[in-house]
Amino acid sequence: MSDTASSSEFAPGSPPAPASRRALLRWAADALEDAGRDEPYRTAEWLLIDILDCRRLDLHLEPDARVTADAARAFGARVRRRAEGEPIQHILGYDEFYGVRLAVTPDVLIPRPETEELVERALDLLRDREAPRVLDVGTGSGCIALALATERPDARVAACDVSAEALAVARRNARRLDLDVRCFEADLFDAAFLDRVREEGGTGLDLLISNPPYIPDAEIPHLPAIVREHDPEIALRAGDDPLRFYRQLADEGREACAAGAILLVEAHAEYADDVAAVFRAAQWSDVRVEDDLAGRPRMVWGRCPPAPTP
Ligand code: GLN
């Protein structure tokens, strides 16, 4: 069994108390394993480190240190939540993405490792551009925009989302990281989208980047329970046309981008070639599909053609 299992009744009992760090970790790892959760020991460590506010190393340097009854109780409650299927990022309230700590709530997609690869690609593509202007569409937690702003302090980065709740999380993250990333509400499908982008100074872009919703309706019921039950559907569901966000990005993007700018997106492995075809049909040039580290075609990018001469 694994995290594909639905929320369950595998709730463990109470942790041993008083107990050593070692005993608590063992108890939690067993409970999480019985509940069919992935990486039970690693998860137990992560939860205990957060409660004790120590380093992983400290758990192992002093395995026999006693944990107070209050801390053990708090730990037990978190282990129970994880055993019942809640993602660790929601229990802790944060995640690490590309080396930055981001607040994560049920209003935003939990950042994925594949998206770190998208950031990596974006940084490569921006290498020779000074003070690049960047817009992240559908920013969610702000992960892409904030990682880029951290890595490229010279960049002017903006981020938008249709969800006001998600934007609140992105703004909070920008503030906490002390990054000057402009976060604004905008709907890619609204006729006024480009006006909104202009108002926020997001034109003449060097990079338009997005990890849009790309799960077709028919696949939603088959997603792992941890995704289906805990990630916001608005961040996942593409509707009955898995290409619609890409069409819109390719069309609207040309207006927002400078000639030679990059449009870079994350895509569903099964539709990456179709996304590339959409980009080509919208006159983007040098369009490429690239694999992620797992060897699946997950990134598509192209270059903005010069504006047609009137
Ligand atoms: N990669 C996410 C998943 O596997 C989907 C993200 C998206 O739709 N943009 O669930």
Side-chain angles (χ1 to χ4, degrees), residues 20-308:
S20 65
R21 293 172 172 182
R22 191 205 314 264
L24 282 177
L25 284 175
R26 185 76 345 260
W27 167 80
D30 287 348
L32 292 168
E33 172 127 43
D34 289 349
R37 299 303 162 209
D38 293 336
E39 303 193 83
Y41 192 77
R42 187 82 176 70
T43 304
E45 284 182 327
W46 198 356
L47 291 171
L48 191 56
I49 286 164
D50 188 68
I51 295 266
L52 299 180
D53 193 19
C54 68
R55 301 168 303 169
R56 169 166 294 108
L57 179 67
D58 298 324
L59 296 182
H60 304 292
L61 287 177
E62 294 182 64
D64 295 316
R66 294 271 139 190
V67 176
T68 66
D70 279 354
R73 232 185 335 269
F75 178 62
R78 288 176 171 204
V79 170
R80 214 165 291 124
R81 285 169 68 183
R82 182 66 200 107
E84 285 166 356
E86 201 174 335
I88 191 162
Q89 294 87 346
H90 288 177
I91 299 169
L92 297 175
Y94 64 80
D95 196 8
E96 305 281 340
F97 179 85
Y98 214 88
V100 290
R101 180 173 287 205
L102 298 170
V104 167
T105 74
D107 287 322
V108 300
L109 190 80
I110 294 171
R112 308 286 206 259
E114 297 93 299
T115 308
E116 293 184 310
E117 293 185 51
L118 191 75
V119 167
E120 188 84 36
R121 202 76 204 85
L123 291 169
D124 272 358
L125 290 165
L126 289 178
R127 185 152 300 143
D128 299 327
R129 294 174 199 239
E130 266 172 49
R133 299 169 66 118
V134 177
L135 175 63
D136 173 18
V137 176
T139 196
S141 63
C143 59
I144 295 173
L146 298 170
L148 291 174
T150 303
E151 295 293 319
R152 286 292 303 263
D154 63 326
R156 283 180 53 188
V157 182
C160 65
D161 206 289
V162 68
S163 155
E165 293 79 14
L167 271 179
V169 177
R171 285 199 184 105
R172 172 143 58 101
N173 281 325
R175 249 192 327 269
R176 241 196 237 167
L177 294 164
D178 199 20
L179 290 170
D180 183 17
V181 168
R182 183 147 195 83
C183 300
F184 61 97
E185 201 174 320
D187 178 355
L188 181 61
F189 292 93
D190 185 338
F193 176 74
L194 276 173
D195 292 337
R196 281 293 292 130
V197 170
R198 272 186 209 107
E199 261 166 43
E200 300 291 342
T203 44
L205 298 173
D206 294 289
L207 172 69
L208 179 60
I209 187 166
S210 183
N211 172 20
Y214 54 69
I215 310 289
D217 282 356
E219 257 180 54
I220 299 272
H222 307 290
L223 290 173
I226 194 166
V227 176
R228 206 178 56 240
E229 294 174 9
H230 299 280
D231 278 308
E233 202 176 271
I234 190 177
L236 298 166
R237 187 189 278 278
D240 51 11
D241 172 9
L243 299 177
R244 69 193 192 101
F245 282 87
Y246 300 101
R247 273 199 200 92
Q248 203 72 6
L249 284 165
D251 290 344
E252 304 282 294
R254 287 187 44 187
E255 303 288 319
C257 284
I262 305 288
L263 168 58
L264 169 64
V265 296
E266 183 173 314
H268 189 302
E270 274 172 43
Y271 301 107
D273 288 332
D274 297 335
V275 170
V278 163
F279 285 12
R280 287 188 189 105
Q283 314 299 322
W284 291 78
S285 55
D286 304 334
V287 175
R288 295 224 204 135
V289 174
E290 290 187 23
D291 288 354
D292 65 10
L293 290 174
R296 293 174 312 159
R298 300 280 267 123
M299 290 174 272
V300 184
W301 64 273
R303 264 178 223 289
C304 189

